[in-house]
Every structure is written in structure tokens, then in C-alpha cells.
């Protein structure tokens, strides 16, 4: 099939559009790391041009002609990797061409302005200043759901962009199961007499030592520094530019251990995925990540399942003690308990493994209702607070720490939040399977050997690119569809032990 | 004129091509500063795509139609800035469309390979390994001169790309005048009994202190760090990405003061020019530098005319002594003499102000003859050495320090070298004028005040962009055409004093 001239022409067109888009990725990385302040307006023009040109390439009618041609001839064949390319190119082409150019431009314009408005509104704790922007965005997103089409809930049309094949019905069920068990677990933890000594994480951690430790750890778990970089930024991210070039970022806090360290592990997890996508397939679906949920599974797996595990720290804690004299009097047990503290808190990005998904459940419910019009933006702050009270037993004192805390809605990213929870669930389900086939894994990890886990992920997740939908991939790896059970079992076991819940 | 719809359409097309090319500039900067090693092959693909797309935009037949339209209607009007845009867009459009696509591609391919071959040949001191590549490049460059057209010498067709309106006859005359006076000046200096203590420049200069000093000095003379950056690289350069974003680079040698310091001043000079081009005209000739010779005048002016002057060091030397304890016992006089040492040497980039232009004269003569076929590549090393002997009284022991030292020919940059000398001459001629209108300039400089000189350059050079050809610009600023006299007077006065030639 790969020698079919029409198929090749199609691949060349799509690859070129993505090659151009990858130049935009570098511009974006630079914008958030090294761009001089006076250059930001001009950078906006550069990024806008690249986005416009690659959109033109992606919606080139020739792509449509070639797709129709190869689908008619090649799709009935046996299951070949190239068919996944055709399936996924069709998917993106349809999404891209269904949206009117006017809507795309309007969305780009409004979300750029809305991000500025959000940033200021959050700073000034002024939800009413952001509300009109959220209204505009909701109007545009509803129009988008109409253009894309959906069966049950308009939310499905948005979710599908981030998590192909996933529906709001599934997400609703997943959260129902999660919330039902997380809430009592949280109560038990809050009632436990064992408490971690968290002040030890707020001692002095010199930034240069943090840099060395983060870099060393990221390299150890498999992030390749000859094919990537680690730089400093305000809002950490991972950007896979292309083969041999993946960039992760972090931020440092000289008086808090967790911020940079777990952030680096998280981004390194994303980075290892990007670095091990098949390079020869760059620019086509086969060379791209499967879904945002699967991407997030790789970051959460290294950050939490591994990075917050006991075997991991058996290996790394002696090194940490050498680098940070503030830990010299702290036993491993205390440190390990402290980095795993569970405590309801207002801010999602600071949440622990137990409460994190409650933050997501809340956002999912609210954005479903906002999109459908069942909740008005005028009522958002109050509804947010009520729900917060019921999930966490506390309430945000203001909208800065409430419904204004996240950038996502201002960017038009409605439907994005659930992928964070999906990532947590996939990671747990994958790890159950990994431990099944590698019974000595925890011992390896406690000896600082991460090679077999990494290789297992490369083989079963990374190397497939977008060949399978996330659902099919999950079944192939674990033998069953995604469920919340392995994640809850993981939490129950880990935190029962830590908090001595008997 | 700027409201003419056809003129506006033309400007929009040209601006968009240059906006895209500016994305390529950032990719190029990143390639030479932060790109992970395994990313270089992919980077080549990105850069190639951007170059191809912006070439397509630049040779868009619509540009030709619009040019013909506005030239017929708008050019007979009075002298307006927009006419310079039309004149220069015509110039680039003609150059771009005269070259067959096959030749452009062949040139890109061959020069990429030739740079690799050159780099290895230089390392292994193996001219015969590079010779076939130089032959190929000469064949292509001759084809280019035929396609572009020329009146007298094929060299003119190449020179004109870098220095619009300048001919090889003028360059030949300039070098004749220069060489005639530089050779005896050099002899007198070599015969002088006064000698600088150059070992003081080879003491210990900790890199962190060099970084601080270079950054501070660049900022002081007018490089805006909110609209630019200074990073580390192997081969220093300046890249003006666009309005508000100009990046300069340098390299550090912990045991040699000059390398990073004067390199930084040089690139900052280029950078100040880029930062003060009219931002509103970005992407059009009015927002672009005048010529490579004028660009080089700005770097040489700050590096040599100012940076190697006595008043400059009256201000900066006390700071240097504070930062570098190795200078604590060195009087200003000795330091000032040392940084101005004159001595024939093999390597162009390490040459002093007196011998530098002899290096260029030699290259100019050789590349004229190579291009016309009067000199065969087989005879190049010997002819190089003979000429070197006659100019400098010494001979390179090998081709690594002889005809293989520069990257230019392997890049196809024949006709580029003379712009370095033009830069030196423009800088001297401009400074004579600057001192005429600002009689207190040297006193200001000795007090660390660089604002009036910078502002004078902005007003008379930078703000015009490419409105005037270099010749016209020089006459406007200094009242006369470029001559080698002010430069020779500057050298004679400075070095007679330093070396006590009476």
C-alpha cells in the first residue's frame, strides 16, 4: 500500500502540513522560554501565519480527492498500519473542513483576546470582567458542535477532538464510579490520626541543586537529552517539535521541593512518549500520539505511579539527601509520606492523587451544562462553590481560587479536562499489566533500573503512534476496556498503608 | 501612494514572504544555540520547507504583475519612500525570477554538502578533498552570473546581491589605494621599537565575569535586552528575527580577553542596527538593512572605532579591573596598547585593524580570478601562499591556516568578502562626520555616554532602512562618495601614536 502513488501523494501533503506546523511548535516553545518581551507582538504574527498556512494545507481539496480515491481502493484490504493513516487523515480532514473559515478565524481572534481578559480578571479576582468572554466562547463552541455534528450531547463533538471515539456518556459513568469511592476514601484519610510532616518539603532547596537533580532523574527514567532539552518557564509544558527534538520545561521554587521535581517527572513522561514515536512516520497519524488521554497516562505514570512510589525513592532518596542538606535529618519514611499528603485544596494543579479527579469531575459537570445552556455563566461562580463544598467540604473564598483558576476555557478548550482523569486511569490500568508481565519491576525500580518499564511502554504504547484508537489500544495492552477500578485499587492500597486506615 | 490598492497588495505579498522567512531565522538561531544534537537532520527539513515556501511567495507571478502596474503609474511621482520599496522589490524579484528553479535547488543541495566537505577537509588539512566541491560551486556560480547578467566582470552579478550598485571596478580601485598605503604602514609598525605586552590579554578571565561585562557593555552602548538576547554559540552571529526580537551570540575563552568581548561589541553593533530599523516597515525594503557593507559598518564602528578607542576604555577600564583580578596590576596604557596590537597573522578573523583588509584584498583577487577561470582551483593553494607572502611577509604552513580557513566559498558566498572592507571604510567615513557634528563626542564616550552617537546613527543610517542605495546613503551622510582616505587617516593617526612612529 505504501507504494501506491495516490497514497504516497496523500502522505506527502499531510506530512508537509505537519512539517510546517512543527515550525510553529518551535516558535511556541521559544515564546514561552527565551523570547524577549518586546518581541511578543511580532511572534503573534509569525505564529498566526504558520497556523493559517498549515490550515490551508490541511484543508487542501486535493487531500479530499486523494482520500476518496484511496478509501475506495485500499480500505477493504487486510489490517495494515497504512489504513490507520487513512482513517485518521479522514478524521482530521473532516473536522477541519466542516468548520467554516469564518468560525475558525473568529475563534482564534476571540480566544486570543479572552486569554488576556482571563489573565487580568484572575489577577483582579473579577469574574464579571471575564463573563462576557466566556459567553462569546460558548456561542462559538456551540456553533462548532453544530458544524461537527454529534449524536447525544454537543459535548461529544468537542471531546472527540482530544480523545477520539470517547463519549460524554462514558465520561459521566467513569466519574460516577470515581466520585462514589473517592469521597469516602477522602473522608477516611481526613479522619486518620497519621499525618505527614509536610514542612520538610518547604525547607531550603537551592535551585541549582534542584536543576541537577531534576535533570539527572529525567535522564535516568529515559528522557534523552541528546534528543531534547529541559528549560525554565512560567507554565511548564512539553513540546515535541519533531524527531530528535522534544523540549520539556519546568519552574523552580527554592522553598518547595515538589513543584519542580514532580513537574519535571511529569513533563519527562510526556517527553519520553514523544521521543519514542516512530520517527519515520513523522507528520502522519502513525507518527503521532494516540490521544491526549494516552499522552497524559505517560506523564502521570512517571510522575505518580513511579515518581511517588516507595521503590523509586529507595533508589533516589540517598541522592536527594546528598544534594539537599535540608533533608539530612529526614528519614525516608517521613519524606515519602510527605510527598504523598492528601488534603482537599482549592487549586487543581496543586492537588494530590486522591482529590485531583474530583477537581476534574466538577469541571466536567459544569462545562457540560454550560455548553448545553443548562447553566448560565451568571450562575457559574455560585454553582462552582456549591459543588466544591459537596466534593471537598470547603469553599473557595473568591473566584481567583475558584472558577477563574484555569486558563482552559479562555482558550476555547472545553472538553479537554476529562483527558487528565483518563490519563490517571490509563496509567493505573497499564501499570497493573506491567507488573503482571514484569514481576520484578518494583525491585528493578528500587535499584534505579527503569529500562524494562520504559521499553515496555515503547513497545506497547509509543511505537504504535495513532494506529489504534485509545479504546482499542487499552484493550490490546490490558485485555479490557478502560475502567476506574485499577486506579481506585491503587489509591486504596497506597493510602490505606500510608495513613494506616484499617 | 500607500493608499493605492495595488501598491498595498504588493506590499502585503512581500511582507508575508518575509514574515515566513523570519520564522526560518528563528529556526536558524535555535540550530546554532539550543538545538539538541539528534534534532539537526529534522531541522534541515524544517528550514528547507520554509525556504522553499518563501521562495515560492517571492517569485509569485502576481508580484510581477503588481510591480509592472505600480511602476507604470507611481514611479514618475516625486521622491517618496514608497518608491524605494518598488525599486528594491523589483530588484529582488528580478534576481529571484532570473534564476532557474533547477539552479536554485542544485545550489542549495551542493552547498549543503560542500559545507560538510569543507569542514572535514579543513579539519584534516586536505585541500584536494575540497577541490571538487569548489569546482562544482564555481560552475554553478558562473551559471548564476549568466542568468543574472553583468556588464564588465561576472563578479559584478554576485557582488550586487550583497552590495547593491557596487561594481568590482570600484572594489579593485579601493583595494589598490588601501594596499598601497597599508603595506608601508605595516612595515613601519613592524620596525617600531614600542611593543605591546600582549600576555596580559591571555591571563585568567572567568567566563561568568566575561558574561557580565559583555552584557553590561552591550546594554550601555545601546543594545536593548528587552528586544534582544545574547547567547553562546560556536560561530558568533547576529540574527534580526523581526521587530522587538534581535539575537546576538558570542563564544567565551577563559584565557583570552578579546574573543568574547570584541565579538560581543561587534554583534551588538549589528544588533543595534537591526533593533532600530523602522518596525512599521518590517518585511519590506524600507524596513530592511541597506546593504551588507552598511551592516558591517555598524558592527565595525562599535567594535573598533569605539570599542578599541582610548575614551571608551577611560570609562570601562575601571569596571574591567574590578571584574577581572588578573588586570589589577595592569595600567590602562598597557591594556589599551595590547588590545590594539598589530601583527601579521594567518587567520582573518583574528586579524587587527591594519592587516585585516589585506586578508580581504587577497580573497577578492583570488575569487575574481577563480570565477572568471583565470585561476584554476588546482593552483589555488600555491597562489594563496604566494600572495600571502607578498602582503604579510609570512606564509601559511598548510591549507587549514591558508585557503581552507573560511566557510564562505563552501556556502557559495563568492562576492561576500569585500563587504567586510566596505564596512571598515564606511565606519571610518561616518565617524569623521559624527565627530564634525558632535565635537564633544569623545568626551561623552569617556564618560560612558553613548546616547548621542547611537541616536545619530539611528537618524542617519538605521531609520532609512533600504530607502537609499549604499552609495547614495554615504553621500547623504558624509557629503561624498566612499573613499579609503578617512580609514587610512584613522589608522595612521591611531597607530603612529601607539607605536610612536615619528
Amino acid at each position: 500500500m505504501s507504494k501506491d502513488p495516490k497514497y504516497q501523494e496523500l502522505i506527502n501533503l499531510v506530512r508537509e502540513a505537519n512539517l510546517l506546523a512543527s515550525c510553529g511548535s518551535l516558535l511556541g516553545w521559544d515564546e514561552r522560554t527565551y523570547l524577549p518581551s518586546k518581541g511578543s507582538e511580532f511572534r503573534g504574527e509569525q505564529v498566526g501565519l504558520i497556523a493559517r498556512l498549515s490550515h490551508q494545507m490541511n484543508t487542501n481539496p486535493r487531500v479530499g480527492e486523494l482520500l476518496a480515491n484511496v478509501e475506495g481502493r485500499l480500505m477493504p484490504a487486510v489490517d495494515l498500519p497504512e489504513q490507520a493513516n487513512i482513517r485518521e487523515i479522514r478524521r482530521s480532514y473532516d473536522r477541519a473542513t466542516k468548520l467554516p473559515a469564518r468560525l475558525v478565524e473568529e475563534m482564534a481572534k476571540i480566544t486570543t483576546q479572552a486569554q488576556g481578559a482571563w489573565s487580568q480578571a484572575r489577577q483582579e479576582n473579577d469574574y464579571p470582567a471575564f463573563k462576557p468572554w466566556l459567553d462569546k466562547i460558548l456561542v462559538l463552541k456551540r456553533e462548532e458542535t453544530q458544524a461537527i455534528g454529534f449524536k447525544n450531547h454537543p459535548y461529544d463533538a468537542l471531546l472527540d477532538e482530544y480523545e477520539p471515539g470517547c463519549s460524554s456518556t462514558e465520561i459521566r459513568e467513569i466519574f460516577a464510579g470515581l466520585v462514589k469511592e473517592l469521597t469516602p476514601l477522602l473522608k477516611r484519610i481526613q479522619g486518620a490520626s497519621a499525618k505527614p510532616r509536610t514542612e520538610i518539603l518547604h525547607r531550603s532547596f537551592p535551585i541549582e541543586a534542584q536543576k541537577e537533580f531534576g535533570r539527572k532523574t529525567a535522564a535516568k527514567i529515559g528522557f534523552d537529552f541528546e534528543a531534547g532539552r529541559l528549560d525554565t518557564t512560567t507554565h511548564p509544558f512539553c513540546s515535541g517539535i519533531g524527531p530528535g527534538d522534544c523540549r520539556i520545561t519546568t519552574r523552580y521554587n527554592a522553598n518547595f521541593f515538589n513543584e519542580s521535581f514532580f513537574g519535571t517527572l511529569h513533563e519527562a513522561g510526556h517527553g519520553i512518549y514523544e521521543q519514542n514515536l516512530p520517527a519515520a512516520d513523522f507528520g502522519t497519524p502513525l507518527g503521532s500520539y494516540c490521544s491526549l488521554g494516552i499522552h497524559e497516562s505517560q506523564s502521570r505514570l512517571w510522575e505518580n505511579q513511579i515518581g511517588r512510589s516507595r521503590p523509586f525513592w529507595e533508589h533516589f532518596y540517598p541522592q536527594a539527601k546528598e544534594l539537599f542538606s535540608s533533608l539530612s535529618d529526614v528519614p525516608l519514611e517521613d519524606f515519602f509520606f510527605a510527598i504523598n499528603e492528601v488534603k482537599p485544596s482549592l487549586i487543581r494543579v496543586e492537588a494530590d492523587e486522591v482529590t485531583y479527579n474530583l477537581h476534574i469531575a466538577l469541571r466536567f459537570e459544569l462545562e457540560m451544562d454550560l455548553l448545553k445552556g443548562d447553566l448560565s455563566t451568571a450562575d457559574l461562580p455560585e454553582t462552582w462553590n456549591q459543588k466544591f463544598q459537596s466534593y471537598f467540604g470547603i469553599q473557595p473564598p473568591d473566584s481567583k481560587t475558584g472558577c477563574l483558576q484555569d486558563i482552559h476555557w479562555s482558550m476555547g478548550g472545553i472538553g479537554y479536562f476529562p483527558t487528565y482523569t483518563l490519563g490517571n486511569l490509563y496509567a493505573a490500568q497499564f501499570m497493573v499489566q506491567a507488573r503482571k508481565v514484569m514481576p520484578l519491576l518494583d525491585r528493578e525500580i528500587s535499584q534505579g533500573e527503569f529500562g524494562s518499564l520504559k521499553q515496555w511502554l515503547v513497545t506497547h504504547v509509543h511505537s504504535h503512534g495513532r494506529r489504534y484508537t485509545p479504546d482499542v489500544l487499552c484493550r490490546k495492552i490490558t485485555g479490557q476496556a478502560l475502567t476506574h477500578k485499577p486506579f481506585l485499587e491503587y489509591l486504596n492500597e497506597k493510602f490505606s498503608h500510608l495513613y494506616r486506615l484499617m
Side-chain angles (χ1 to χ4, degrees), chain A:
Chain A
M1 185 186 291
S2 59
K3 288 193 177 139
D4 186 273
K6 291 275 194 285
Y7 174 79
Q8 265 313 325
E9 187 187 344
L10 175 66
I11 292 300
N12 292 346
L13 286 179
V14 170
R15 192 183 189 281
E16 185 161 296
N18 284 307
L19 182 58
L20 186 61
S22 78
C23 301
S25 304
L26 185 81
L27 293 167
W29 168 83
D30 181 78
E31 190 172 353
R32 296 159 81 178
T33 50
Y34 293 124
L35 181 71
S37 58
K38 289 182 185 167
S40 59
E41 190 183 330
F42 182 69
R43 177 54 46 87
E45 285 195 58
Q46 293 177 305
V47 169
L49 176 65
I50 299 271
R52 183 156 56 79
L53 293 177
S54 59
H55 180 75
Q56 269 172 24
M57 289 175 165
N58 277 322
T59 54
N60 179 351
R62 181 69 185 153
V63 171
E65 286 167 32
L66 290 164
L67 266 176
N69 179 298
V70 298
E71 280 169 340
R73 291 187 300 106
L74 305 177
M75 287 304 267
V78 290
D79 174 46
L80 290 170
E82 288 88 344
Q83 290 178 326
N85 266 346
I86 298 174
R87 178 193 79 222
E88 290 297 321
I89 294 172
R90 162 61 69 197
R91 218 183 129 261
S92 340
Y93 182 75
D94 283 352
R95 273 199 86 91
T97 50
K98 277 177 180 172
L99 298 178
R102 186 211 34 84
L103 179 61
V104 174
E105 276 169 42
E106 188 83 352
M107 190 81 81
K109 210 183 84 190
I110 294 293
T111 53
T112 303
Q113 295 172 321
Q115 281 173 64
W118 164 77
S119 176
Q120 200 174 341
R122 183 175 75 153
Q123 211 175 329
E124 294 167 8
N125 202 17
D126 182 5
Y127 175 76
F130 178 60
K131 181 186 166 296
W133 293 101
L134 185 54
D135 285 325
K136 279 180 207 178
I137 285 169
L138 285 166
V139 168
L140 294 172
K141 294 309 277 188
R142 283 182 202 123
E143 195 181 337
E144 183 180 331
T145 64
Q146 292 299 330
I148 300 291
F150 56 89
K151 277 192 203 146
N152 298 313
H153 194 288
Y155 196 85
D156 294 340
L158 305 182
L159 179 63
D160 186 72
E161 184 179 353
Y162 308 117
E163 202 65 16
C166 187
S167 75
S168 56
T169 313
E170 288 169 67
I171 301 285
R172 200 192 290 273
E173 279 168 22
I174 281 170
F175 279 121
L178 271 177
V179 170
K180 204 177 130 198
E181 300 202 36
L182 285 176
T183 328
L185 173 61
L186 178 59
K187 289 234 168 79
R188 288 168 65 214
I189 290 172
Q190 290 183 283
S193 55
K195 300 276 175 210
R197 291 170 55 202
T198 49
E199 62 74 26
I200 59 188
L201 303 172
H202 294 275
R203 296 179 177 180
S204 162
F205 297 95
I207 286 173
E208 282 311 309
Q210 286 195 54
K211 284 189 177 175
E212 187 190 330
F213 192 49
R215 179 170 296 268
K216 209 166 145 182
T217 316
K220 191 85 181 175
I221 64 171
F223 184 80
D224 180 355
F225 278 94
E226 286 181 15
R229 301 184 48 82
L230 169 60
D231 296 275
T232 308
T233 191
T234 316
H235 298 287
F237 63 97
C238 164
S239 177
I241 315 279
D245 189 6
C246 172
R247 308 191 178 194
I248 59 174
T249 60
T250 188
R251 61 178 167 205
Y252 298 92
N253 179 338
N255 296 300
F256 186 34
F257 177 82
N258 291 11
E259 183 144 5
S260 154
F261 185 78
F262 291 105
T264 300
L265 279 191
H266 180 99
E267 302 306 338
H270 282 304
I272 293 167
Y273 187 9
E274 289 285 328
Q275 288 183 332
N276 292 285
L277 290 168
D281 293 311
F282 167 83
T284 75
L286 284 174
S288 175
Y289 64 90
C290 175
S291 72
L292 286 185
I294 298 295
H295 222 314
E296 195 72 7
S297 78
Q298 301 304 293
S299 56
R300 302 281 165 158
L301 187 150
W302 289 107
E303 177 195 358
N304 291 334
Q305 296 272 341
I306 303 299
R308 286 188 154 92
S309 76
R310 173 82 206 224
F312 180 90
W313 286 104
E314 280 170 21
H315 174 70
F316 281 110
Y317 196 58
Q319 298 178 33
K321 283 180 93 153
E322 261 180 50
L323 274 164
F324 305 109
S325 56
S326 50
L327 294 177
S328 59
D329 64 339
V330 180
L332 171 57
E333 285 313 318
D334 290 10
F335 177 81
F336 178 59
F337 195 4
I339 59 167
N340 281 296
E341 185 198 26
V342 173
K343 191 179 176 184
S345 62
L346 300 172
I347 305 296
R348 174 184 60 86
V349 297
E350 296 166 6
D352 56 78
E353 289 183 86
V354 174
T355 59
Y356 187 89
N357 299 291
L358 296 174
H359 287 272
I360 302 298
L362 177 145
R363 284 155 180 77
F364 167 70
E365 292 162 24
L366 292 174
E367 60 184 16
M368 287 273 283
D369 290 349
L370 283 170
L371 187 68
K372 219 177 166 185
D374 294 343
L375 169 65
S376 90
T377 56
D379 297 333
L380 175 63
E382 210 192 306
T383 314
W384 179 290
N385 290 4
Q386 286 166 356
K387 275 190 191 279
F388 211 92
Q389 180 74 46
S390 84
Y391 281 153
F392 298 96
I394 53 175
Q395 269 199 40
D398 48 29
S399 38
K400 192 165 65 177
T401 55
C403 67
L404 277 182
Q405 69 182 267
D406 296 305
I407 197 176
H408 301 60
W409 292 339
S410 74
M411 295 170 70
I414 295 170
Y416 193 114
F417 282 119
T419 66
Y420 294 139
T421 289
L422 292 175
N424 286 323
L425 306 194
Y426 283 127
Q429 195 159 329
F430 293 169
M431 279 308 294
V432 169
Q433 182 64 22
R435 287 206 172 84
K436 221 177 265 173
V437 297
M438 294 175 282
L440 301 179
L441 189 58
D442 283 326
R443 205 169 82 190
E444 289 181 19
I445 289 172
S446 70
Q447 289 164 353
E449 290 163 24
F450 299 94
S452 20
L453 178 57
K454 186 195 144 189
Q455 193 47 55
W456 186 82
L457 292 168
V458 170
T459 306
H460 295 278
V461 182
H462 311 177
S463 68
H464 294 307
R466 197 166 282 204
R467 176 157 184 193
Y468 308 110
T469 58
D471 177 54
V472 173
L473 184 72
C474 182
R475 286 171 197 269
K476 276 194 166 275
I477 297 173
T478 69
Q480 54 177 323
L482 180 71
T483 89
H484 60 283
K485 297 216 166 65
F487 179 66
L488 281 172
E489 279 163 23
Y490 157 76
L491 292 185
N492 268 308
E493 192 190 319
K494 179 172 177 176
F495 292 99
S496 295
H497 180 77
L498 275 166
Y499 280 91
R500 294 175 202 112
L501 315 172
M502 290 304 131

